[in-house]
Structure formats: C-alpha cells, structure tokens
Amino acid sequence: MSNGHLVKIGSQAHGLYDRLWGRARVAVRSCDKGADGLSRPGFALGGGLKHVANRWGEQLIPLMDSCDI
C-alpha cells in the first residue's frame, strides 16, 4: 500500500471519528434525557431506553478508538 493510500485511509478515519464525536454522542445524551423523562412518572420504557443508551455508549467508545489510527 502506498503512502497516498494510507493518507486517504487516515483522512477517512479521522472524518468518521469527528462525525461520531459530533453526532453519535448526541444520541446518547438525547436517550438519557428521554429515559429520565419517562422514568419519573413511572414508565418502564424509561429503564429500557436507559439500557439502550448505555449500550450505545459502550459500543461507541471502541468504535471511535478504532478510528484513531
């Protein structure tokens, strides 16, 4: 693989990392806020949404780490 190819791969990985940082983290915050709002009045869905937000956050970290090349 040539240096030019590696530069392109690195550039794409950096762009993906930036998009994940800016957009995917918003999903975690939004889900957390929604889960809290549903949990307060006693909806069981709030706990499920919180679980999904936590799992998304857990999966997002290694994905973002893999972009850091």
Side-chain angles (χ1 to χ4, degrees):
M1 193 175 301
S2 72
N3 192 34
H5 288 113
L6 292 175
V7 168
K8 287 180 183 179
I9 291 169
S11 177
Q12 291 293 319
H14 183 69
L16 176 58
Y17 181 92
D18 286 345
R19 287 189 305 278
L20 289 170
W21 179 260
R23 296 179 187 162
R25 287 179 30 260
V26 171
V28 173
R29 290 191 308 262
S30 296
C31 285
D32 278 341
K33 188 175 181 179
D36 290 343
L38 288 168
S39 294
R40 271 188 229 111
F43 289 107
L45 181 60
L49 187 55
K50 181 70 172 175
H51 174 76
V52 169
N54 288 341
R55 290 292 294 152
W56 176 252
E58 290 169 4
Q59 297 298 314
L60 183 59
I61 292 168
L63 178 59
M64 290 177 69
D65 286 347
S66 68
C67 293
D68 190 22
I69 56 173

